[in-house]
Amino acid sequence: MEDTRTARSSIAKLRWLTDEQQRIWRFYVHATTLLEDRVDRQLQRSVNMPHSYYRLLVTLAESPHQRLQMTELAMQAKITRPRLSHAVARLEKNDLVRREEAPSGKRGKYTVLTEQGLEALTRAAPTYATVVQHALFDRLTPQQQEFLGVIMQIVTDGLQTNRAGADLPWLR
């Protein structure tokens, strides 16, 4: 009985979402889920590549010497290390990336974009750009696009903390 009262008291003290916040949150969840699905399906259809793999190849392509330490790649891709290891193994199997030992004196392995990986990325990029343009940006005015950018930057900055012990995907 005491536990039930404590639980009810704790629930009563929660800061609930207002109806308007709930409405906005649900639109956000639905929109991001549908957008991710649209991009993923189109990349799968056109170049047989999931969006998550495309993002990894882009990250490597934009990195110095088209290589990153696995930890850095996980951080930039915002994914867990086990998920990254699985993805890199699949990309490596398809000769899109290769793993290399770190230069002497450094720890960890590097993931390197291969020539075949760059070619695959080049083939996938037009599909990616077209889908994102049609699914997101064509639906917004320039001012709405600017607001969306500002809002997403605020949310990202608030969630991506540098404090010790932060619960971020690439630290798991």
Side-chain angles (χ1 to χ4, degrees):
M1 187 76 157
E2 182 65 32
D3 289 342
T4 304
R5 273 186 262 172
T6 303
R8 284 186 185 148
S9 176
S10 295
I11 289 171
K13 293 177 185 174
L14 284 176
R15 184 172 161 224
W16 295 99
L17 299 177
T18 66
D19 289 345
E20 182 64 6
Q21 289 170 334
Q22 187 68 262
R23 185 184 72 78
I24 292 167
W25 173 249
R26 287 181 181 164
F27 274 132
Y28 168 80
V29 169
H30 294 163
T32 56
T33 301
L34 291 168
L35 183 58
E36 178 64 31
D37 180 68
R38 172 80 50 95
V39 172
D40 193 64
R41 279 185 299 117
Q42 287 301 119
L43 284 171
Q44 290 277 16
R45 284 182 190 144
S46 67
V47 293
N48 197 30
M49 180 187 302
H51 185 211
S52 58
Y53 293 7
Y54 177 85
R55 288 179 38 225
L56 292 173
L57 296 180
V58 167
T59 302
L60 288 168
E62 293 175 346
S63 300
H65 309 291
Q66 298 179 328
R67 74 180 62 229
L68 280 173
Q69 283 187 310
M70 290 287 282
T71 304
E72 181 67 22
L73 184 56
M75 186 175 84
Q76 287 192 29
K78 310 288 187 262
I79 62 176
T80 63
R81 289 178 281 192
R83 186 170 172 212
L84 176 64
S85 291
H86 176 75
V88 168
R90 295 287 304 267
L91 290 167
E92 193 172 33
K93 182 179 175 188
N94 294 323
D95 297 321
L96 302 179
V97 302
R98 70 176 179 275
R99 293 184 220 205
E100 293 179 352
E101 293 296 325
S104 63
K106 291 191 176 184
R107 292 181 46 191
K109 291 195 181 268
Y110 279 79
T111 303
V112 182
L113 184 66
T114 64
E115 192 63 39
Q116 296 93 316
L118 187 56
E119 289 170 10
L121 182 59
T122 300
R123 285 190 310 274
T127 296
Y128 178 79
T130 299
V131 172
V132 172
Q133 188 69 44
H134 290 317
L136 180 64
F137 292 108
D138 287 352
R139 299 172 191 278
L140 303 174
T141 66
Q143 185 179 31
Q144 290 169 329
Q145 291 176 34
E146 183 179 338
F147 288 160
L148 180 62
V150 169
I151 291 165
M152 292 295 97
Q153 183 68 53
I154 290 167
V155 172
T156 299
D157 290 347
L159 293 172
Q160 187 171 288
T161 179
N162 290 328
R163 67 179 165 76
D167 186 22
L168 298 168
W170 56 92
L171 298 176
R172 288 184 224 134

